[in-house]
Amino acid sequence: MERAVYQLVSLTRSLHQWRESEETYTYTPVLRAYADFASSLQDIAGTLSRLDADVLESQAEQVCRQSATAQRALKDVLDAAQEHRLPLADPSRPYGVLIVEATRLMEEFQYTGDTLRTTAAGPE
C-alpha cells in the first residue's frame, strides 16, 4: 500500500508540472481518459481504506475487479496518447512521465489486489 501511495504522489507531482500554455498537441482526450483512470484508482483506494478481516475475501475480489476496470481505463489512456501522437519520449513535456507513473501505479494496485486475494484465500 505504501508503494501505491508513493506512486500516487509521483503522479500528482507530474500533473502539477503540466504546462498550461501547451498548444502544440491535442491532449484533451488523453486528459479525459486519464481522469477516468484516476477515478478507477479512487474506487480501488476506497475499497482498500475499508478493509475488514471478516469480509477480506469478498473485498479482495472487489479490488481485483476494480483493478481490471482500471487496466481498461489505462489502456484507453495509452490508446489516446498514441492516437494523438503525444511526444512520450520528450523529457521537456510531461506526457511520458504521466504514462510511466500511471503504469507504475496500476502495477502497485494490481499487486496489492493479488496479495489480498492470496492472503484471503489462506494456506492451501
Side-chain angles (χ1 to χ4, degrees):
M1 185 67 173
E2 181 180 339
R3 290 174 9 175
V5 170
Y6 173 79
Q7 292 301 329
L8 189 55
V9 169
S10 185
L11 174 64
T12 303
R13 185 174 43 248
S14 295
L15 286 170
H16 277 282
Q17 294 172 354
W18 201 279
R19 293 186 180 161
E20 293 179 359
S21 62
E22 177 65 71
E23 296 176 7
T24 309
Y25 297 95
T26 302
Y27 58 84
T28 302
V30 175
L31 287 180
R32 285 192 180 117
Y34 218 97
D36 292 340
F37 172 68
S39 177
S40 67
L41 296 182
Q42 177 184 352
D43 294 342
I44 298 169
T47 300
L48 292 174
S49 72
R50 296 183 306 274
L51 289 180
D52 181 342
D54 293 334
V55 291
L56 187 58
E57 190 169 346
S58 66
Q59 288 176 319
E61 290 302 320
Q62 182 177 7
V63 169
C64 289
R65 284 191 307 275
Q66 291 168 325
S67 292
T69 299
Q71 282 284 9
R72 288 188 297 275
L74 178 57
K75 183 182 180 318
D76 291 345
V77 172
L78 299 172
D79 290 347
Q82 182 178 10
E83 179 181 337
H84 295 283
R85 297 187 177 135
L86 294 185
L88 301 181
D90 183 349
S92 69
R93 289 191 160 80
Y95 311 117
V97 172
L98 288 171
I99 298 297
V100 167
E101 294 302 334
T103 301
R104 288 179 181 164
L105 190 55
M106 186 66 250
E107 289 170 356
E108 293 299 334
F109 276 111
Q110 186 70 51
Y111 174 77
T112 300
D114 292 345
T115 301
L116 280 175
R117 181 187 285 170
T118 301
T119 300
E124 292 186 23

